[in-house]
């Protein structure tokens, strides 16, 4: 079985749900506690054994490229100011030279199209995809769990969670087959089905391990839900010739593409940080309990 070395992270989306913040800043640079959203996806990929990150970016996303580069002036200033803790932290996060590639999705044609844009950078090997809006919180990252199942099964692996059965129209939904290892075989796959026709309430939560044969299918994929080229539709076609397995995630995923998910993620990650937890637990609890704050809601 070939090792999964590369991860594709699509970051071309406009982030209209976060206007005005995203008017001049990529949504992936919004911070959860003190790290940009994109850092969580990269950390999760590295934890799962990935050693090369491919960003599929777009116009006005240069801040992401700069963020993953070295900032020599900042480092000098920190060094002169004796801020060795901050320097060490930046150093720890620094990816090695050559470990990041970028390509641009020129037009907003959907997730399937974004992944297809990375075809030359991935080449003919299995690869991971992480949707950075979905931020994984748990003992281990979500991709690491999917990678465990991949080591058992090979083929293609997608990470799943259960959603409210009334919410299937928001996600890619899979049909459940026989149990395999810690997961199950996927029998069906459909993008954003209405609850009445959804094969289950197991939704694709934004982590994939795919074989490179997906690229040829993405290259001639018809538009689907939302008039976009959907990754789910191409995976459904690949299912005719290759196996797909689902790895249920045992942590919690926050949809940081939505305001509520983003705020919940900030609270959850702050409470999980030893250096911050005690500073915020009491004030947050008080705020939640305080009647006047809730009744002042605009
Ligand atoms: C995308 C995928 C969908 C998946 C979802 C997870 O949809 O197409 O299958 O369930 O991400 O967030 P989007 O949220 O881009 O509409």
């Amino acid at each position: 079985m070939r090792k999964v070395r590369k991860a594709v992270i699509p970051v071309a989306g406009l982030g209209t749900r976060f206007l005005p913040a995203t008017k001049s800043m990529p949504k992936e640079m919004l911070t959860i506690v003190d790290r940009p959203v994109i850092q969580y996806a990269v950390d999760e990929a590295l934890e799962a054994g990935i050693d090369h990150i491919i960003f599929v970016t777009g116009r006005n996303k240069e801040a992401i490229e700069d963020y993953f580069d070295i900032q020599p002036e900042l480092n000098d200033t920190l060094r002169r100011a004796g801020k060795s803790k901050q320097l060490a932290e930046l150093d720890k996060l620094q990816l090695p030279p050559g470990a990041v590639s970028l390509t641009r999705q020129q037009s907003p044609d959907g997730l399937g199209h974004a992944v297809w844009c990375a075809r030359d950078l991935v080449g003919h090997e299995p690869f991971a995809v992480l949707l950075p809006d979905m931020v994984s919180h748990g003992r281990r990252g979500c991709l690491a769990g999917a990678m465990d199942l991949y080591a058992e099964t090979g083929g293609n692996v997608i990470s799943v969670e259960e959603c409210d059965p009334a919410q299937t129209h928001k996600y890619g939904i899979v049909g459940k087959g026989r149990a395999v290892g810690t997961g199950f075989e996927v029998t069906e796959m459909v993008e954003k089905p209405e609850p009445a026709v959804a094969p289950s309430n197991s939704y694709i939560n934004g982590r994939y391990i795919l074989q490179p044969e997906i690229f040829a299918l993405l290259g001639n994929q018809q538009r689907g839900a939302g008039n976009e080229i959907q990754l789910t539709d191409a995976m459904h076609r690949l299912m005719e010739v290759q196996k797909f397995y689902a790895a249920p995630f045992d942590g919690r995923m926050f949809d940081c593409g939505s305001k509520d998910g983003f705020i919940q993620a900030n609270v959850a990650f702050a409470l999980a940080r030893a250096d911050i937890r005690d500073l915020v637990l009491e004030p947050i609890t008080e705020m939640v309990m305080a009647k006047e704050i809730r009744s002042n809601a605009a």
Side-chain angles (χ1 to χ4, degrees), residues 111 131 134 171-172 191-192 204 208 230 232:
L111 174 60
L131 308 188
M134 300 298 275
Y171 304 106
E191 183 66 18
K192 302 195 171 65
I204 303 171
Y208 311 75
Q230 295 291 351
T232 306

Side-chain angles (χ1 to χ4, degrees), residues 83-98:
K83 298 199 184 269
S84 51
K85 198 167 151 243
Q86 285 88 339
L87 254 177
E89 179 70 13
L90 291 183
D91 211 46
K92 208 170 83 198
L93 295 177
Q94 191 63 51
L95 293 171

Side-chain angles (χ1 to χ4, degrees), residues 181-235:
T182 49
F184 59 86
E185 198 171 320
V186 175
T187 55
E188 179 56 274
M189 215 182 276
V190 41
E191 183 66 18
K192 302 195 171 65
E194 287 305 322
V197 294
S200 77
N201 66 334
S202 264
Y203 81 95
I204 303 171
N205 71 1
R207 302 295 182 268
Y208 311 75
I209 298 166
L210 297 170
Q211 296 298 326
E213 286 74 22
I214 194 76
F215 290 122
L217 299 172
L218 286 170
N220 61 19
Q221 183 60 50
Q222 302 292 310
R223 286 170 188 269
N227 198 32
E228 292 185 341
I229 297 170
Q230 295 291 351
L231 180 58
T232 306
D233 294 343
M235 293 194 300

Side-chain angles (χ1 to χ4, degrees), residues 24-45:
S24 61
M25 177 175 81
K27 63 175 170 153
E28 297 79 9
M29 294 304 291
L30 294 169
T31 51
I32 299 176
V33 187
D34 53 9
R35 289 161 190 244
V37 164
I38 192 68
Q39 180 73 59
Y40 291 85
V42 168
D43 285 350
E44 185 187 333

